[in-house]
Amino acid sequence: MNNIYYLAEKPAVSSTTALSKPIELYVFMDLLSPSSWELQSLIRQLQVNYGQYFSLRIILSTELNSLNTACQRIHSCESSEELVDVSHPVLPSIAVKAAELQGKKAGYRYLMKLQEYALLKTKNVCQCNILQEIAQEINLDIEEFQSDFLSMEATRAFQSDLCITREMEIDEVPCFVFFNENIEDEGLKVCGSYSYEVYEKILEELLDEKLVCQQPPSVEDLFHRYHILTTKEVAAIYHISLNAAERELKKKMLQQKLDRVICDELSLWRLK
């Protein structure tokens, strides 16, 4: 696999706290990229199977040419009412960072729900009122979210991600960078999209041991964790055929536990 990875130094602006898991995984992604949903599918499968081995840090690397202009526009607003019609490609990334100020899990829930909105293509996720709607749907503290969204703290957090992207010389997304427990060791940088098996093999090589696959959660617990999944994702996680996954998901739909959503001929299943 020497032809697909490069060495990378850990960014100076990263956390220096001790790792609770042997591998720290940085994932550089563009929130607005059409391939971001496929990337999340891969991350979910790795988390379900091997989450005991790595902690995850998502770095937002959205391509932007007018960050300062967008920031000036939202920071000139004195209330959430003034933000309703404001729209710009930078805003989803700032919104994720505002959600993260309520905790890492809150930020990740927000990111997944934002990508669900973007995938279904029913609403403009670059518009402020839609970003507030997402915050309400995942039960964030709305007043705190709105305050943080208007603050410089969320903007600086996003700018920090862009600094990490530049510092680690990430010129292609998606990009995975694996670091081990020794903070002085260089990381392993894998840019571009590869099959799940490639990342699985890299984890195994870095750990220098045979990976132990975790027992997957129940279907209901899986959807409580991720909320929306494709038939293909469910089949991969449970190591069953697409037909078997379809049958199981239809049962949950008949039990009124899941909804089915068709999007561009893609079958999605969503927690009811």
Side-chain angles (χ1 to χ4, degrees):
M1 290 189 293
N2 291 333
N3 61 329
I4 68 166
Y5 62 66
Y6 309 88
L7 296 178
E9 292 188 7
K10 201 162 191 176
V13 293
S14 69
S15 170
T16 56
T17 56
L19 295 178
S20 59
K21 297 179 182 180
I23 301 294
E24 185 173 18
L25 175 57
Y26 281 54
V27 177
F28 295 79
M29 64 182 296
D30 181 348
L31 277 180
L32 303 180
S33 168
S35 64
S36 63
W37 180 263
E38 293 178 14
L39 177 64
Q40 281 293 352
S41 296
L42 192 151
I43 293 170
R44 284 192 282 263
Q45 194 175 349
L46 284 173
Q47 284 179 320
V48 170
N49 287 338
Y50 303 119
Q52 74 272 33
Y53 295 115
F54 69 91
S55 58
L56 175 68
R57 180 170 180 182
I58 290 179
I59 308 296
L60 303 181
S61 306
T62 306
E63 284 291 335
L64 298 167
N65 297 316
S66 53
L67 174 61
N68 290 338
T69 302
C71 292
Q72 288 169 5
R73 190 174 178 191
I74 63 171
H75 294 142
S76 67
C77 297
E78 296 181 356
S79 67
S80 58
E81 288 76 15
E82 294 181 43
L83 282 169
V84 171
D85 296 323
V86 177
S87 180
H88 192 279
V90 73
L91 299 184
S93 296
I94 294 176
V96 170
K97 293 303 175 183
E100 280 183 0
L101 293 173
Q102 296 189 36
K104 184 178 178 181
K105 289 183 179 179
Y108 191 52
R109 287 202 321 272
Y110 189 95
L111 186 150
M112 287 194 295
K113 180 60 68 174
L114 186 149
Q115 289 189 315
E116 177 187 330
Y117 269 53
L119 180 69
L120 296 177
K121 300 176 184 175
T122 55
K123 296 179 181 178
N124 179 9
V125 296
C126 294
Q127 195 164 320
C128 283
N129 62 325
I130 301 304
L131 295 171
Q132 291 183 37
E133 181 182 314
I134 293 171
Q136 289 177 317
E137 189 163 340
I138 65 165
N139 297 317
L140 292 185
D141 183 314
I142 298 303
E143 288 188 9
E144 186 178 339
F145 174 80
Q146 290 174 342
S147 175
D148 289 334
F149 184 72
L150 289 168
S151 75
M152 284 301 298
E153 191 171 356
T155 300
R156 290 193 190 101
F158 175 50
Q159 289 173 324
S160 175
D161 277 12
L162 296 179
C163 286
I164 291 173
T165 303
R166 288 193 297 271
E167 187 179 341
M168 293 181 64
E169 299 180 347
I170 306 298
D171 51 18
E172 179 185 357
V173 291
C175 184
F176 285 59
V177 184
F178 299 81
F179 291 101
N180 64 23
E181 294 169 292
N182 187 347
I183 62 173
E184 295 181 356
D185 285 354
E186 292 180 309
L188 203 60
K189 180 165 68 174
V190 185
C191 290
S193 298
Y194 296 92
S195 68
Y196 168 81
E197 288 74 21
V198 168
Y199 302 101
E200 186 179 46
K201 183 66 174 175
I202 290 170
L203 266 180
E204 191 167 68
E205 288 188 0
L206 286 173
L207 291 163
D208 195 24
E209 62 181 74
K210 185 172 179 58
L211 298 179
V212 177
C213 189
Q214 295 183 120
Q215 183 71 22
S218 67
V219 173
E220 289 179 38
D221 285 344
L222 183 71
F223 275 89
H224 275 290
R225 182 174 180 180
Y226 295 116
H227 301 286
I228 185 166
L229 297 137
T230 65
T231 307
K232 184 178 178 181
E233 283 180 276
V234 173
I237 287 170
Y238 293 103
H239 307 288
I240 57 178
S241 69
L242 286 171
N243 286 339
E246 182 92 4
R247 286 196 299 271
E248 183 63 29
L249 292 166
K250 283 181 177 177
K251 287 180 189 176
K252 299 299 181 185
M253 184 175 67
L254 291 172
Q255 294 168 359
Q256 297 188 333
K257 294 178 179 178
L258 298 177
D259 280 330
R260 188 173 195 168
V261 183
I262 304 297
C263 175
D264 292 339
E265 299 182 359
L266 180 67
S267 187
L268 299 170
W269 303 86
R270 183 167 57 189
L271 192 65
K272 200 173 180 67

